[in-house]
Amino acid sequence: MKSVVADLTTFDWEQDTPLNRPFRQTVIYEMHVAGFTRHPSSGVAPVNRGTYLGLIEKILISRSWASQR
């Protein structure tokens, strides 16, 4: 493996249980919150750009747009 996203042998699942899904069947998405929401073309209100609140706003905008189609 080129890089390790999670070491399941040391992860503390606390009260939760593992998904029992092999990594080869898993897709992990990574993103930079600020980069995804900071630009004016993101559609996020200026006060929320570059923040987790901006990310939530962008998701809600996308869902609203998709439901209108």
Side-chain angles (χ1 to χ4, degrees):
M1 192 180 318
K2 204 174 209 181
S3 62
V4 176
V5 175
D7 183 355
L8 298 181
T9 62
T10 62
F11 186 78
D12 180 9
W13 288 93
E14 295 179 6
Q15 301 289 322
D16 206 354
T17 56
L19 296 175
N20 293 323
R21 181 178 197 84
F23 267 133
R24 67 181 173 275
Q25 295 179 356
T26 303
V27 176
I28 298 173
Y29 293 94
E30 296 181 40
M31 61 180 274
H32 191 276
V33 172
F36 191 65
T37 62
R38 186 172 286 153
H39 195 272
S41 68
S42 69
V44 174
V47 70
N48 295 333
R49 291 181 189 153
T51 67
Y52 283 101
L53 190 55
L55 177 61
I56 293 168
E57 183 180 333
K58 187 158 178 69
I59 291 168
L60 293 176
I61 290 169
S62 296
R63 285 184 149 186
S64 172
W65 180 82
S67 68
Q68 294 175 7
R69 296 187 93 210

